[in-house]
Amino acid sequence: SYGEGFGKTTFEAMACQLCPIGYTEGALRDFGVHMQNALLGDVGDRETLLNNIEYALENPLEIKALGARAYSDVQNLTWE
C-alpha cells in the first residue's frame, strides 16, 4: 500500500529472517536499507519493484544473507 503507516508486519518479517521487498514507505523508509537488509524502490516505481522481486528469485543465497542482516537489525527493537 502506498499509504501504509508504520507497519509492524515489516518488523515481524525481519524478525523471521526474511528480506522485505517493497517501497521506501512506512517502516521500510525508516529502517530498510537497500541491498543491506531489504530490497527497496521509490514509491510507485513498479519497474524497480519487479526487478527486486526477480533479483530475489534469482539470488536466494543473497536474499538469505539480507534476511539475516534484517534479523540482526531488529533485535534491539521492542513493542514499546
Side-chain angles (χ1 to χ4, degrees), residues 1-54:
S1 160
Y2 295 137
E4 181 176 342
F6 198 79
K8 292 179 185 171
T9 55
T10 298
F11 295 126
E12 291 168 348
M14 294 170 86
C16 290
Q17 297 189 30
L18 298 174
C19 172
I21 301 172
Y23 295 126
T24 52
E25 180 67 27
L28 282 176
R29 178 187 57 233
D30 297 325
F31 288 92
V33 180
H34 184 65
M35 295 302 292
Q36 290 185 23
N37 64 9
L39 295 177
L40 303 174
D42 292 329
V43 174
D45 184 349
R46 294 179 182 147
E47 184 174 341
T48 297
L49 181 63
L50 176 61
N51 290 339
N52 285 339
I53 293 168
E54 289 174 346

Side-chain angles (χ1 to χ4, degrees), residues 65-76:
L66 291 175
R69 282 184 233 135
Y71 174 80
S72 177
D73 289 347
V74 297
Q75 289 307 294
N76 293 323

